[in-house]
Amino acid sequence: MRGNFLYLPIILLWTSSCSQEKLVPISINPIRIDINGHIEVLREKLEKRSTLLVYENSYEGESKGIKLFYFDDQNDGLHYHFAVYTIDDRIKGIEAGVSSSDLTSVKLYRKVEKEILPDFKKTAKQLDNANVKTEKSTLSESEHYYIFEVKTQEFNEKIQ
């Protein structure tokens, strides 16, 4: 009987570790965001970069338990805009747009496809049960974006 008490903590530790979702770092240079990671960890990373993570308190998905955060970043002549979606303070979705006011659309797309897209695809392949999307987008003649999306199945089910 005494021996069984020794196994109980080990079994509890093992089952709790199995039920945790694995963190998958998604790279959209220069930022890495952990899918299934805590939003506070991202907030701390961004503070080190002197970047503010903003909570959007008027997001309509909040009634379904989804919170929206966003931030902007600049690096190497590119402007990044990120939207980060959480469920229970865990990151479950990312939308990012990369643009540049200094580059033509051809140069922007070439730069993104050479310097950002390979790392994004490599890291996104590690995700199970997620929708991953990339596309070129044009809002106007002078506004060109490259869009990245990662949305877990849990996020997609909750948003419907």
Side-chain angles (χ1 to χ4, degrees):
M1 183 76 163
R2 243 172 119 174
N4 290 342
F5 287 114
L6 291 174
Y7 291 112
L8 186 60
I10 293 171
I11 291 171
L12 289 174
L13 182 62
W14 178 70
T15 56
S16 68
S17 68
C18 289
S19 65
Q20 292 181 359
E21 296 170 305
K22 76 175 186 178
L23 298 180
V24 179
I26 300 297
S27 178
I28 303 174
N29 293 338
I31 305 293
R32 289 181 86 89
I33 299 175
D34 294 333
I35 294 290
N36 298 319
H38 284 282
I39 194 68
E40 285 305 315
V41 173
L42 177 60
R43 184 182 313 274
E44 291 168 6
K45 283 184 197 178
L46 294 174
E47 283 177 2
K48 291 176 184 174
R49 295 179 59 86
S50 298
T51 301
L52 180 65
L53 182 64
V54 178
Y55 168 62
E56 177 60 57
N57 62 1
S58 62
Y59 175 60
E60 67 269 2
E62 190 152 354
S63 63
K64 297 179 179 184
I66 300 169
K67 292 183 181 176
L68 168 62
F69 298 83
Y70 63 88
F71 65 95
D72 291 316
D73 199 272
Q74 299 277 339
N75 188 50
D76 196 25
L78 298 176
H79 176 83
Y80 296 82
H81 176 76
F82 287 86
V84 179
Y85 300 92
T86 66
I87 299 172
D88 298 325
D89 295 326
R90 295 261 189 191
I91 299 170
K92 298 296 181 175
I94 303 168
E95 292 176 351
V98 180
S99 62
S100 175
S101 59
D102 300 331
L103 299 175
T104 65
S105 62
V106 172
K107 288 182 181 179
L108 170 68
Y109 297 149
R110 189 178 309 134
K111 183 175 180 86
V112 168
E113 289 168 353
K114 182 179 178 187
E115 299 175 14
I116 298 171
L117 194 57
D119 285 341
F120 174 77
K121 285 183 176 181
K122 182 180 174 184
T123 57
K125 280 183 184 180
Q126 299 173 42
L127 279 170
D128 297 327
N129 297 322
N131 292 337
V132 177
K133 181 170 110 177
T134 61
E135 74 178 64
K136 301 172 188 176
S137 182
T138 302
L139 295 177
S140 68
E141 283 188 35
S142 61
E143 291 184 89
H144 306 281
Y145 289 85
Y146 214 102
I147 297 171
F148 298 86
E149 280 187 19
V150 176
K151 294 180 179 170
T152 64
Q153 183 175 349
E154 182 181 358
F155 172 82
N156 288 326
E157 289 170 359
K158 195 105 164 157
I159 198 69
Q160 291 179 357

